[in-house]
Amino acid sequence: DEVIRQFSNMTAITSLSPGGVGPLLVNELLRKRELTALCDEVIRPFYQTRCELAVSWLKTSVNDARLHIHLPEGAIFLWLWFEGLSISTSQLYDELKKEGLLVVPGKYFFPGQEPGDEHAESCIRMNYVQSEQDLRKGIDILARVLRRFW
């Protein structure tokens, strides 16, 4: 209880009092009207390329029609749906963790759904912005573990 209380206090303080460096940098980019160019010419292309690479590697490595990749619409995550998986994605999380891969089970992103909702229990959220080497390694682990449960 004490650890939870202290962690909650720390989280509240850091959320209410963010550091000044980030806002200062963004303010300067806005003042000079450089933020849009930075987003259009550097940030968006980087994430778009990494997303396309991850999708391509997933399709090649998993190579199963039961893998569904929700339409990527930005951010740094892909939503993957494993149709007909014989275990929940909470169990899949445990299996992947043993292999050194961390993903986020989808059930945490379906608030208000009935417990055990089939779709919520068969999706994961996967980050794709780590190094290309780590991304490739993670996708290979995912593909290998999925084969055991499909």
Side-chain angles (χ1 to χ4, degrees), residues 80-142:
L80 308 178
W81 171 34
F82 309 117
E83 185 179 4
L85 196 62
S86 65
I87 60 173
S88 73
T89 51
S90 296
Q91 294 165 308
L92 178 65
Y93 166 84
D94 290 332
E95 294 298 320
L96 292 170
K97 186 177 174 185
K98 290 176 193 174
E99 302 287 330
L101 176 62
L102 296 177
V103 297
V104 182
K107 70 179 184 179
Y108 301 112
F109 302 95
F110 288 80
Q113 298 290 323
E114 293 295 320
D117 176 82
E118 184 179 336
H119 191 70
E121 288 290 347
S122 59
C123 291
I124 64 168
R125 188 178 81 166
M126 182 190 99
N127 181 302
Y128 59 79
V129 295
Q130 57 275 32
S131 71
E132 286 187 19
Q133 179 182 357
D134 287 343
L135 180 61
R136 179 81 240 183
K137 181 180 174 186
I139 289 172
D140 288 344
I141 292 169
L142 177 63

Side-chain angles (χ1 to χ4, degrees), residues 34-46:
E34 295 174 351
L35 183 59
T36 300
L38 178 63
C39 290
D40 291 344
E41 297 167 16
V42 178
I43 297 170
R44 184 179 297 130
F46 170 81

